[in-house]
Amino acid sequence: MKINSIEIITSGFVECKSCFYSVHDTITIPTQFKFNTGAHLLTGEIDSGIFAISYLISMKSQVKKYAIILDPVEVKINGKESTLEELEKYACYIDKSNKNFSKKKTIREQIEENIKERNLNMTAEQIRDMFFITDFRFENPITAVGNERLQAMAAIGFSQGKQIFCFPWLSHSRFEGYAIRMEKLFEIFKKIGAIAIVPKGYDMMKAVYGKTSFFSENLS
């Protein structure tokens, strides 16, 4: 199934984790989230609910002990009723804490296994080139690819058939540090018709002058 849009109405408590942060995030009242193909920036504090929705979409099965989701939960994929469990099948959490990423196997090995399992009509080299991963880092596990880990994880997720790429909350300074790589990833997500969800912190310099607020921006 090709996913063009998702819609979620939910509220509740989620313990969110990444390699940088851990937070008890809460969506305080039933909130509607809509995402279509392209990249979406969600800007707000780490505990404003934007980390929770990204984490919930992609990590529901891995965090069910720490999530208290209040009924009713409404999920739609391409306008048709679905579930969080079904949605997670198509989602990839772009963080080293995601247990679906091997810490021992190389990026190439993981991608080649996925290609074989899915009978994908692509080679590992084609995917490496698509996600601009350097040759020598392609032969390393995620723990040893340095600042190319974002595209390495996205490449593995792509080879797994994922169409929704969910990022952990990033401070504005961290997001800026990834800016060049993020821009390239957004171009790839647009090209393959994927959905990217990126929660990030405020640019406090702009906030001082009243030029920023909570927003969801479609960058497609």
Side-chain angles (χ1 to χ4, degrees):
M1 176 174 63
K2 174 67 177 71
I3 296 180
N4 298 310
S5 66
I6 59 175
E7 179 181 338
I8 305 167
I9 299 177
T10 189
S11 62
F13 163 91
V14 183
E15 184 176 349
C16 306
K17 296 181 179 181
S18 74
C19 62
F20 295 119
Y21 310 106
S22 177
V23 65
H24 296 174
D25 197 4
T26 304
I27 304 171
T28 54
I29 59 174
T31 303
Q32 182 182 54
F33 299 89
K34 290 184 176 181
F35 306 105
N36 53 15
T37 53
H40 299 259
L41 296 182
L42 305 179
T43 302
E45 301 293 349
I46 191 172
D47 58 353
S48 63
I50 58 175
F51 196 170
I53 192 61
S54 181
Y55 203 72
L56 189 61
I57 289 171
S58 55
M59 296 285 279
K60 176 67 164 57
S61 65
Q62 295 190 33
V63 299
K64 56 187 177 182
K65 293 181 180 179
Y66 309 102
I68 302 174
I69 308 305
L70 305 179
D71 291 330
V73 177
E74 297 181 28
V75 178
K76 292 183 179 180
I77 299 177
N78 297 339
K80 296 182 179 180
E81 291 186 4
S82 187
T83 64
L84 286 171
E85 289 75 15
E86 181 67 16
L87 188 61
E88 185 184 2
K89 295 177 183 178
Y90 301 93
C92 178
Y93 184 55
I94 305 296
D95 189 78
K96 289 189 294 184
S97 64
N98 187 343
K99 295 179 182 178
N100 291 326
F101 297 132
S102 172
K103 294 182 179 180
K104 296 181 179 180
K105 295 178 181 178
T106 68
I107 307 304
R108 179 187 294 279
E109 287 171 341
Q110 293 179 71
I111 289 176
E112 287 181 342
E113 287 180 1
N114 294 330
I115 289 174
K116 183 177 181 180
E117 181 178 342
R118 297 183 56 234
N119 195 27
L120 192 63
N121 189 27
M122 292 187 75
T123 66
E125 278 300 309
Q126 287 174 318
I127 294 177
R128 182 194 67 77
D129 185 61
M130 177 189 294
F131 285 88
F132 53 96
I133 304 169
T134 54
D135 291 339
F136 75 93
R137 283 177 172 153
F138 202 57
E139 310 304 331
N140 292 334
I142 284 176
T143 53
V145 295
N147 59 5
E148 291 187 10
R149 63 179 177 271
L150 293 183
Q151 61 258 43
M153 288 183 281
I156 293 171
F158 172 77
S159 69
Q160 293 170 336
K162 306 299 186 181
Q163 301 180 49
I164 307 167
F165 296 85
C166 298
F167 288 73
W169 184 89
L170 298 169
S171 68
H172 178 74
S173 61
R174 286 195 187 279
F175 179 82
E176 287 294 300
Y178 289 133
I180 294 177
R181 298 184 183 281
M182 282 289 195
E183 184 178 0
K184 291 182 179 179
L185 278 175
F186 290 167
E187 291 175 0
I188 295 169
F189 295 146
K190 181 179 179 180
K191 182 178 180 180
I192 64 178
I195 296 172
I197 301 170
V198 187
K200 64 176 290 291
Y202 291 114
D203 179 346
M204 297 310 296
M205 290 299 292
K206 289 185 179 179
V208 168
Y209 297 99
K211 295 182 180 180
T212 189
S213 61
F214 178 93
F215 69 94
S216 173
E217 181 179 352
N218 188 320
L219 302 179
S220 59

